Amino acid sequence: MPAGDVARATVAAVAELLAEVADDPRNAVLTLARVWTTLATGGIRSEDTAARWALPRLPAARRPVLTHALRLYRESDCAAEWWPVGLRQQAPDHAGHLAAGIAAAA
């Protein structure tokens, strides 16, 4: 698929991911990190690799949500996932920050 098509398809998914973050924060923030990574690097990576790429590019205060989502991705299934209330409440703001990174890379 041509790079422009990949970029358009990934950017088109951002609004839907932002709408889903309250119900499925793990998937939403990991996928947003993946979109950001794809646009910034031109490479398509796994959610795990994309999150590891994104983490050092985030301000320290923004890292806990993505760090927790990555831990859940690696260590638990969706049915057993648990979010501390504070982190879950931060997820929409964190997702918005990732969306801003996506917009800058697009």
Side-chain angles (χ1 to χ4, degrees):
M1 181 181 290
D5 291 345
V6 171
R8 279 187 293 282
T10 56
V11 169
V14 171
E16 185 176 326
L17 291 165
L18 291 173
E20 293 176 1
V21 73
D23 294 327
D24 189 3
R26 175 176 79 159
N27 181 60
V29 298
L30 289 172
T31 305
L32 286 165
R34 191 173 188 199
V35 170
W36 183 24
T37 304
T38 298
L39 291 174
T41 69
I44 298 173
R45 296 183 167 98
S46 69
E47 289 180 333
D48 183 285
T49 303
R52 287 186 283 119
W53 176 90
L55 279 167
R57 289 162 176 81
L58 293 171
R62 298 283 185 179
R63 294 180 190 155
V65 170
L66 187 55
T67 298
H68 186 70
L70 181 57
R71 185 177 308 115
L72 290 172
Y73 176 82
R74 291 177 174 165
E75 299 174 5
S76 71
D77 61 33
C78 290
E81 104 178 15
W82 174 80
W83 281 81
V85 173
L87 280 182
R88 191 172 190 112
Q89 291 172 342
Q90 292 174 32
D93 187 50
H94 176 79
H97 187 79
L98 289 171
I102 291 165

